[in-house]
């Protein structure tokens, strides 16, 4: 009798697992080969970190672009572009001979940004709808990739970085701007950021405190090939 009851329970559990798809059922096929982050992921609560007027009063974008070495003629990707604060200022900086690709994962954001780009006549800007695990950038295309106040919101950082890596040119740099606080408080501690990027073959070149930009700026260069996804060991979260 006990064996019969236990067998019935096991059948029910198996059925539940099939229906629910298991603990990784919410992950996409593109993300499933990669480990999940061993840390909290902040929810996307707004596409705006602060007003554009307030950010310009402290010269935020100009200072960040100077520190990132962004010059006329460069090709730059603005990841998590939101309403386009950096996008349009990057477009002005790189000029007619440069290009800016603005990427976001929210269709309504991309639609609104497209309208802004058209309205303001930024002919050197294009927009791209990415995915949470893959920004879907063209390979070997960018002198700089910017990620401003959004890294802590990436739900699949290892998959995302792995797919993003080939988009940088050989001498390109990844620029991350974030707050120095735990990820569940909408920031990323620099040591955690350096660890997760190192797992993808990136080396942190410099960390610069940037209180006017809400935290710090970190510069990365790719120094190694992408690892096999199965070999990636998640960085231990220290909250």
């Amino acid at each position: 009798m006990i064996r019969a009851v236990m067998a019935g329970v096991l059948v029910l559990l198996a059925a539940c697992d099939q229906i629910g798809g298991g603990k990784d059922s919410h992950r996409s096929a593109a993300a499933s080969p990669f480990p999940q982050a061993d840390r909290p992921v902040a929810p996307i609560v707004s596409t705006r970190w602060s007003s554009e007027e307030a950010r310009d009063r402290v010269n935020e974008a100009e200072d960040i672009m100077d520190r990132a070495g962004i010059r006329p003629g460069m090709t730059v990707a603005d990841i998590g572009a939101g309403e386009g604060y950096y996008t349009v200022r990057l477009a002005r900086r790189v000029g007619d001979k440069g290009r800016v690709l603005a990427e976001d994962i929210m269709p309504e954001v991309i639609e609104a940004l497209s309208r802004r780009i058209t309205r303001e006549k930024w002919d050197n800007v294009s927009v791209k709808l990415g995915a949470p695990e893959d920004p879907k950038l063209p390979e070997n295309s960018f002198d700089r990739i910017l990620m401003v106040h959004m890294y802590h919101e990436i739900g699949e950082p290892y998959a995302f970085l792995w797919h993003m890596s080939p988009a940088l040119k050989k001498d390109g740099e990844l620029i991350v701007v974030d707050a120095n606080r735990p990820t569940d408080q909408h920031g990323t501690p620099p040591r955690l950021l350096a660890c997760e990027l190192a797992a993808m073959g990136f080396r942190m070149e410099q960390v610069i405190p940037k209180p006017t930009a809400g935290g710090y700026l970190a510069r990365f260069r790719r120094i190694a090939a992408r690892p096999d996804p199965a070999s990636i060991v998640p960085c231990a979260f220290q909250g």
Side-chain angles (χ1 to χ4, degrees), residues 145-168:
I145 295 178
L146 265 67
M147 301 167 67
V148 180
H149 291 295
M150 56 78 65
Y151 185 84
H152 52 269
E153 297 174 346
I154 300 174
E156 296 281 356
Y158 297 106
F160 186 93
L161 294 171
W162 194 91
H163 287 108
M164 181 207 72
S165 177
L168 273 176

Side-chain angles (χ1 to χ4, degrees), residues 81-198:
E83 297 176 357
Y85 173 73
Y86 271 90
T87 299
V88 300
R89 287 156 181 82
L90 287 165
R92 185 183 300 120
R93 173 69 68 96
V94 301
D96 294 340
K97 294 183 179 180
R99 294 290 303 174
V100 176
L101 176 64
E103 184 269 3
D104 209 286
I105 65 171
M106 302 172 68
E108 64 273 21
V109 170
I110 286 295
E111 291 172 7
L113 182 54
S114 295
R115 291 193 294 270
R116 176 179 184 177
I117 296 306
T118 301
R119 182 175 65 250
E120 298 181 11
K121 296 182 171 60
W122 294 105
D123 296 331
N124 60 345
V125 175
S126 55
V127 299
K128 180 78 172 181
L129 179 65
E133 70 285 345
D134 182 358
K136 300 184 178 181
L137 304 180
E139 292 189 10
N140 193 33
S141 297
F142 299 100
D143 300 291
R144 299 289 186 273
I145 295 178
L146 265 67
M147 301 167 67
V148 180
H149 291 295
M150 56 78 65
Y151 185 84
H152 52 269
E153 297 174 346
I154 300 174
E156 296 281 356
Y158 297 106
F160 186 93
L161 294 171
W162 194 91
H163 287 108
M164 181 207 72
S165 177
L168 273 176
K169 294 180 181 179
K170 182 179 179 181
D171 296 324
E173 291 189 10
L174 171 65
I175 308 296
V176 179
V177 177
D178 215 336
N180 186 1
R181 54 176 178 254
T183 52
D184 57 358
Q185 296 177 31
H186 291 271
T188 310
R191 287 184 63 186
L192 177 63
L193 179 68
C195 181
E196 292 187 350
L197 268 293

Side-chain angles (χ1 to χ4, degrees), residues 2-18:
I2 293 175
R3 288 183 180 177
V5 171
M6 289 301 296
V9 170
L10 290 173
V11 169
L12 287 172
L13 288 174
C16 288
D17 190 53
Q18 278 188 323

